[in-house]
Amino acid sequence: MSLETEIMGQMKEAMKAKDEVTLRGLRAIKAALLLLKTSGSGEISAEDEIKMLQKLVKQRNDSLDIFRQQNRSDLAQKEEEEIRVIEKFLPKQLSEDEIRTELSQIISDIGAASPADMGKVMGVATKKLAGKADGKTVSSLVKELLNK
């Protein structure tokens, strides 16, 4: 089942249940899907869907940080609720230890030895961990592992 079909089905359920929180998150995903469809060839790959969902979560996390700094707990709560809805459609995220294990394997496979090899490691890591780990976390762990 495509993401769009799944979103539409869950939107109907959320409307029937009068679940405004879930509905708000689903509408955000639907709007992003429509933008993605109209900006490209009309066909969206599963990889593009995951990237789009990750982007939505990242945007909301950035907003969440700002709202917390400004002591706007009402707006922060809305962002947190939307993040929870969007994350349901993302693959399970790896823990930091799992990411570290994967990166250690990549580093040994490539033969990276110094921080100068970070680009090579990141190239392989971003492909291998796409959708499973945040790029910022991967980057900081690669730096940490290469500086040992």
Side-chain angles (χ1 to χ4, degrees):
M1 180 184 333
S2 74
L3 179 63
E4 188 173 18
T5 308
E6 193 173 341
I7 295 296
M8 294 304 291
Q10 288 195 21
M11 280 181 70
K12 287 177 188 174
E13 294 299 317
M15 284 182 200
K16 287 178 186 175
K18 297 186 182 349
D19 184 353
E20 287 299 317
V21 173
T22 304
L23 193 56
R24 190 173 58 240
L26 293 171
R27 283 182 174 149
I29 296 171
K30 183 182 175 196
L33 273 171
L34 285 172
L35 281 173
L36 192 61
K37 261 183 149 174
T38 56
S39 68
S41 64
E43 289 298 315
I44 305 170
S45 69
E47 189 175 291
D48 290 336
E49 289 174 346
I50 290 172
K51 285 180 185 175
M52 183 256 325
L53 291 170
Q54 287 177 320
K55 183 178 178 183
L56 290 175
V57 169
K58 185 179 183 328
Q59 289 170 342
R60 278 152 184 77
N61 277 324
D62 292 345
S63 297
L64 184 61
D65 291 340
I66 292 168
F67 294 146
R68 284 183 177 153
Q69 289 170 4
Q70 297 175 349
N71 294 322
R72 293 295 310 265
S73 59
D74 56 329
L75 295 175
Q77 181 183 355
K78 286 184 178 183
E79 296 298 323
E80 288 172 338
E81 292 167 349
E82 286 186 27
I83 289 170
R84 280 193 294 267
V85 171
I86 296 167
E87 284 180 337
K88 291 177 186 175
F89 298 96
L90 283 169
K92 181 187 172 290
Q93 298 292 298
L94 297 175
S95 70
E96 197 168 302
D97 291 335
E98 292 170 323
I99 296 170
R100 186 174 273 117
T101 304
E102 290 283 339
L103 291 174
S104 296
Q105 182 64 44
I106 291 169
I107 289 170
S108 66
D109 290 348
I110 293 175
S114 69
D117 297 323
M118 184 166 175
K120 293 177 191 174
V121 175
M122 285 301 294
V124 174
T126 51
K127 288 178 184 152
K128 188 171 183 180
L129 301 175
K132 299 176 189 170
D134 175 51
K136 193 183 291 184
T137 305
V138 171
S139 176
S140 65
L141 289 173
V142 168
K143 284 179 189 172
E144 177 187 313
L145 291 169
L146 290 176
N147 285 324
K148 284 187 175 180

